Amino acid sequence: MNRILFVDDEPAILDAIRRSLRSHRARWQMEFAPSAACALDLLAADTVDVIVTDFRMPEMDGGQLLTVVRERWPHTARLILSGYSGLQELLTTGGLAHEYLNKPCSSEDLEDAIERALSLTRPD
Amino acid sequence: MLIAGQLAVSLDNALAERFRSLVQRSSDVTLVCDRDGVLSYASAASAEMLGIEDAALTGRAVLELVAVDDRAAFDQRVRGVSSGDTETLECRAVSADGSSRWVEATFTDLLTDAAVGGIVVHLRDVTERRRLEGELRQAQKLDSVGQLSAGIAHELNSPIQFVGDNVRFVSQAFADLAAVVTVYRGANAQAAEELAVELDTEYLLEEVPKAIAQTLDGVARMATIVRAMKAFGDPHGDTKAWFDLNEAVRNTLVVADGEIKYVADVVVELGDLPLVWCNLGDVNQVVLNLVVNAAHAVGEAVTLGRERGTITLRTRCDGEDIVLQVQDTGIGIPPEIAERVFEQFFTTRGVGRGTDQGLSVAYSLVHDRHAGSIAFTSEPGVGTTFTVRLPRRGSEPAPSRAEALAA
């Protein structure tokens, strides 16, 4: 089963993602972290195939989190799901994120992006 | 002697002719009246500016040329200007056709000057200047709201994201529950039980109410943001009304939340305030600009490695004034630029980071438009406190609340 980690400082967003992606529960083990620090704990505990993180968060933001992920867990695919526009080019061309999704993002688009990210991580 | 005397007279005549010509050809209107405002002279430009021939004005009351709302202030200056002194007033002058234009009136007491023997009132048309000032003010307001737009979009996008996800989930959950109910109605209890387990109806029964509650909360949040944003538009143009300053503080905190919440905690100490006679858009803008300025000051301190800061907003009533304080624990204002922070076009920011006119706009709105005051104390590295005082009855005679409501 693939392990997908979602990070957002807004609990209502995590709850809603968990509900809307519920139909994938048989294939995906979904984890939810309300902060970057909590996400790092979950990453350290077990392999994460795809991380989907918000950008603007207090303490450590999404950019700082993905910098650490790229260094320590290079095989984890990195996605950003943010309501803050204007960073897309910077973050994707800089190689920090494989894909940048703008909030609001439909669950179909999010599913597709996760599938694409999973195909990157599979050694086929 | 005689010849010299004649020469002096003709020199005097030549000078008098020269000055008369200068006054008559000026595009500004020069008027002379007595303390009661009865006109004894009007220059030729009155025909151009007011549509009334200068000769026709002699003996008439100068106040007839002034808009009704401005007459009291105008009259006060005609009667009050002291000898050798000059006073000014921006007011509306009324033309013969009933249209009005903004003029800057200058009052000079030359009653004891034998050659004039009256109060000289000089009218300069400032309609165009005021229009440009209004446009500049509007552009600066839009600029500050524009700078916030990315943050506001972020604040709106979060609830839109989870409202959308939740509604999608609720819709799927309802379809699943409906399927189970249909099987029950077919009286196949065994099959219904199996389907209920497969679709995990326990989970749905637990999660659907939460999803609905969060959705309603998200919609309420979006409505609050949109409502607060509206206060920063210019729905009332130049007009003033009775307004609760605490409301401006609440609006600002909603709109500026995206600027504040990642760098500072907010403390709000709102006093019991009487309403203040002001322009709503202006006062919202003043509070917003001070709060955004505070957030930037704290943000810079955080960038330099300091802990999250605090922004404190206080309101209180002090006699006839309403007082607002915005205190931050930011980087502070260096003493060497302290005198310049309210200057127009003064900026400490690099090119391309907005025009940074927040403080100069706040100054102009408080000082020029509301006859209030704005000042600050600051300690570099510790923080800054801005204090705004607004006369609660406004700069001009405000109507009673009942009159304002009836208008």
Side-chain angles (χ1 to χ4, degrees), chain B residues 340-386:
Chain B
R340 303 191 60 198
V341 298
F342 294 126
E343 264 176 38
Q344 198 158 32
F345 305 123
F346 177 72
T347 178
T348 56
R349 287 203 222 164
V351 175
R353 291 194 54 197
T355 57
D356 192 19
Q357 294 300 299
L359 294 177
S360 101
V361 170
Y363 179 87
S364 131
L365 294 178
V366 169
H367 190 267
D368 303 343
R369 303 251 296 160
H370 291 85
S373 69
I374 178 168
F376 67 89
T377 57
S378 185
E379 194 176 331
V382 177
T384 305
T385 303
F386 280 89

Side-chain angles (χ1 to χ4, degrees), chain B residues 66-67 69-71 73-74 77 87-93 101-107 122-131 133-134 137 238 368-369 395-396:
Chain B
V66 181
D69 290 348
D70 297 330
R71 281 184 187 168
F74 197 98
R77 282 164 181 78
E87 290 204 33
T88 57
L89 173 72
E90 253 184 49
C91 59
R92 281 149 293 183
R101 61 184 62 227
W102 280 97
V103 296
E104 182 181 83
T106 312
F107 304 82
H122 208 76
L123 304 181
R124 165 165 295 171
D125 193 329
V126 292
T127 309
E128 180 66 7
R129 193 192 78 199
R130 283 184 63 102
R131 190 184 65 76
E133 281 172 354
R137 198 161 49 231
D238 255 2
D368 303 343
R369 303 251 296 160
S395 51
E396 61 253 32

Side-chain angles (χ1 to χ4, degrees), chain A residues 10 15 19 22 105 107, chain B residues 161 166 203 207 214 221:
Chain A
E10 167 91 59
D15 285 349
R19 293 176 191 128
R22 185 170 163 269
C105 167
S107 50
Chain B
Q161 176 72 45
N166 280 332
Y203 176 87
E207 286 293 313
Q214 284 184 350
R221 248 165 70 179

Side-chain angles (χ1 to χ4, degrees), chain A residues 4-63:
Chain A
I4 323 282
L5 171 59
F6 297 90
V7 192
D8 201 305
D9 63 321
E10 167 91 59
I13 294 221
L14 294 180
D15 285 349
I17 289 175
R18 179 167 49 78
R19 293 176 191 128
S20 70
L21 296 184
R22 185 170 163 269
S23 58
H24 299 279
R25 64 192 184 282
R27 302 188 297 129
W28 296 346
Q29 184 193 337
M30 292 180 269
E31 308 275 0
F32 300 89
S35 70
C38 179
L40 290 173
D41 288 345
L42 289 165
L43 281 153
D46 199 358
T47 309
V48 168
D49 297 296
V50 181
I51 180 169
V52 182
T53 180
D54 184 19
F55 188 78
R56 284 195 98 178
M57 296 186 288
E59 314 294 331
M60 189 182 210
D61 71 26

Side-chain angles (χ1 to χ4, degrees), chain B residues 297-298 300-301 306 328-335 337 376-385:
Chain B
V298 175
E300 287 189 41
R306 291 241 308 267
D328 68 63
T329 58
I331 50 169
I333 297 171
I337 66 161
F376 67 89
T377 57
S378 185
E379 194 176 331
V382 177
T384 305
T385 303

Side-chain angles (χ1 to χ4, degrees), chain B residues 1-13:
Chain B
M1 277 308 289
L2 187 66
I3 293 172
Q6 282 174 334
L7 192 63
V9 168
S10 75
L11 262 179
D12 272 356
N13 282 342

Side-chain angles (χ1 to χ4, degrees), chain A residues 8-13 15-20 22 25 54 56-59 81-85 102-108 110, chain B residues 150-151 153-154 157-163 165-166 168-169 176 198-201 203-204 207 210-211 214 221 258-259 261-262 308:
Chain A
D8 201 305
D9 63 321
E10 167 91 59
I13 294 221
D15 285 349
I17 289 175
R18 179 167 49 78
R19 293 176 191 128
S20 70
R22 185 170 163 269
R25 64 192 184 282
D54 184 19
R56 284 195 98 178
M57 296 186 288
E59 314 294 331
L81 172 60
S82 171
Y84 208 70
S85 53
N102 280 305
K103 284 178 192 161
C105 167
S106 73
S107 50
E108 289 82 2
L110 182 57
Chain B
H154 182 262
N157 282 336
S158 286
I160 291 172
Q161 176 72 45
F162 69 75
V163 164
D165 282 349
N166 280 332
R168 225 167 279 122
F169 164 70
D176 288 356
E198 187 197 327
L199 296 176
D200 197 0
T201 50
Y203 176 87
L204 299 182
E207 286 293 313
K210 287 188 203 161
Q214 284 184 350
R221 248 165 70 179
E259 298 290 313
K261 71 174 176 188
Y262 299 101
R308 222 176 133 69

